[in-house]
Amino acid sequence: MAKSKQSQPKSFEEAVTELEKILAEMERGEVPLEESLTRYERGNFLLQYCRQVLGKAQQQIEDLNKTDAAPPSPAPGDVDEEPAA
Protein backbone atom coordinates (compact mmCIF):
# COMPACT_ATOMS: atom_id res chain seq x y z
CA MET A 1 0.00 0.00 0.00
CA ALA A 2 1.54 3.29 -1.06
CA LYS A 3 1.61 6.05 1.48
CA SER A 4 -0.63 8.92 0.50
CA LYS A 5 -0.14 12.50 1.58
CA GLN A 6 -2.26 13.04 4.67
CA SER A 7 -4.10 16.29 5.32
CA GLN A 8 -3.21 18.02 8.56
CA PRO A 9 -6.05 18.36 11.08
CA LYS A 10 -7.10 21.91 11.99
CA SER A 11 -6.62 21.33 15.70
CA PHE A 12 -5.71 18.77 18.34
CA GLU A 13 -9.37 18.38 19.24
CA GLU A 14 -10.32 17.70 15.61
CA ALA A 15 -7.60 15.05 15.40
CA VAL A 16 -8.84 13.31 18.55
CA THR A 17 -12.44 13.36 17.30
CA GLU A 18 -11.40 11.86 13.97
CA LEU A 19 -9.31 9.20 15.74
CA GLU A 20 -12.30 8.25 17.90
CA LYS A 21 -14.49 7.95 14.80
CA ILE A 22 -11.94 5.76 13.00
CA LEU A 23 -11.57 3.52 16.04
CA ALA A 24 -15.32 3.10 16.45
CA GLU A 25 -15.78 2.21 12.76
CA MET A 26 -12.97 -0.34 12.85
CA GLU A 27 -14.17 -1.89 16.13
CA ARG A 28 -17.60 -2.54 14.60
CA GLY A 29 -15.85 -4.69 11.99
CA GLU A 30 -18.06 -3.48 9.16
CA VAL A 31 -15.24 -1.87 7.17
CA PRO A 32 -13.73 -3.87 4.30
CA LEU A 33 -10.06 -4.84 4.63
CA GLU A 34 -8.70 -2.33 2.10
CA GLU A 35 -10.64 0.50 3.75
CA SER A 36 -9.47 -0.68 7.18
CA LEU A 37 -5.87 -0.36 6.03
CA THR A 38 -6.52 3.15 4.74
CA ARG A 39 -8.20 4.13 8.01
CA TYR A 40 -5.40 2.54 10.02
CA GLU A 41 -2.87 4.61 8.09
CA ARG A 42 -4.91 7.78 8.73
CA GLY A 43 -5.27 6.91 12.40
CA ASN A 44 -1.54 6.39 12.73
CA PHE A 45 -0.91 9.79 11.10
CA LEU A 46 -3.36 11.46 13.49
CA LEU A 47 -1.79 9.71 16.47
CA GLN A 48 1.65 11.01 15.52
CA TYR A 49 0.19 14.51 15.08
CA CYS A 50 -1.40 14.38 18.55
CA ARG A 51 1.83 13.15 20.14
CA GLN A 52 3.72 16.02 18.51
CA VAL A 53 1.20 18.61 19.74
CA LEU A 54 1.23 17.14 23.25
CA GLY A 55 5.04 17.07 23.25
CA LYS A 56 5.17 20.77 22.37
CA ALA A 57 2.64 21.58 25.08
CA GLN A 58 4.61 19.58 27.64
CA GLN A 59 7.80 21.42 26.67
CA GLN A 60 6.05 24.78 27.08
CA ILE A 61 4.83 23.77 30.54
CA GLU A 62 8.33 22.65 31.55
CA ASP A 63 9.77 25.93 30.28
CA LEU A 64 7.17 27.90 32.25
CA ASN A 65 7.89 25.89 35.39
CA LYS A 66 11.62 26.57 35.04
CA THR A 67 10.90 30.29 34.72
CA ASP A 68 8.57 30.24 37.73
CA ALA A 69 11.04 28.24 39.83
CA ALA A 70 13.95 30.62 39.25
CA PRO A 71 14.45 33.06 42.11
CA PRO A 72 13.58 36.60 41.15
CA SER A 73 16.48 38.90 40.40
CA PRO A 74 16.76 41.70 42.95
CA ALA A 75 16.10 45.18 41.68
CA PRO A 76 18.93 47.70 42.00
CA GLY A 77 18.90 49.13 45.51
CA ASP A 78 17.01 46.12 46.92
CA VAL A 79 20.16 44.17 47.69
CA ASP A 80 20.76 43.71 51.40
CA GLU A 81 24.23 44.88 52.18
CA GLU A 82 26.21 43.76 55.19
CA PRO A 83 26.60 46.60 57.68
CA ALA A 84 30.16 47.86 57.97
CA ALA A 85 31.85 46.77 61.21
Side-chain angles (χ1 to χ4, degrees), residues 41-67:
E41 184 179 0
R42 177 65 178 168
N44 196 34
F45 175 83
L46 293 169
L47 183 60
Q48 295 303 317
Y49 170 83
C50 289
R51 286 180 176 160
Q52 182 181 23
V53 171
L54 288 173
K56 287 179 183 178
Q58 182 177 6
Q59 186 62 51
Q60 287 177 326
I61 290 168
E62 289 172 7
D63 291 346
L64 289 170
N65 284 336
K66 286 178 189 174
T67 302

Side-chain angles (χ1 to χ4, degrees), residues 2-59:
K3 291 209 175 209
S4 60
K5 179 152 173 63
Q6 298 283 335
S7 62
Q8 193 86 345
K10 293 178 185 154
S11 67
F12 175 81
E13 292 77 14
E14 180 183 282
V16 170
T17 299
E18 188 177 348
L19 267 170
E20 290 171 342
K21 180 182 174 193
I22 289 170
L23 182 60
E25 291 170 343
M26 291 179 73
E27 283 180 339
R28 284 194 299 267
E30 299 170 356
V31 181
L33 178 60
E34 191 64 33
E35 183 64 26
S36 290
L37 294 172
T38 300
R39 290 181 189 190
Y40 178 85
E41 184 179 0
R42 177 65 178 168
N44 196 34
F45 175 83
L46 293 169
L47 183 60
Q48 295 303 317
Y49 170 83
C50 289
R51 286 180 176 160
Q52 182 181 23
V53 171
L54 288 173
K56 287 179 183 178
Q58 182 177 6
Q59 186 62 51

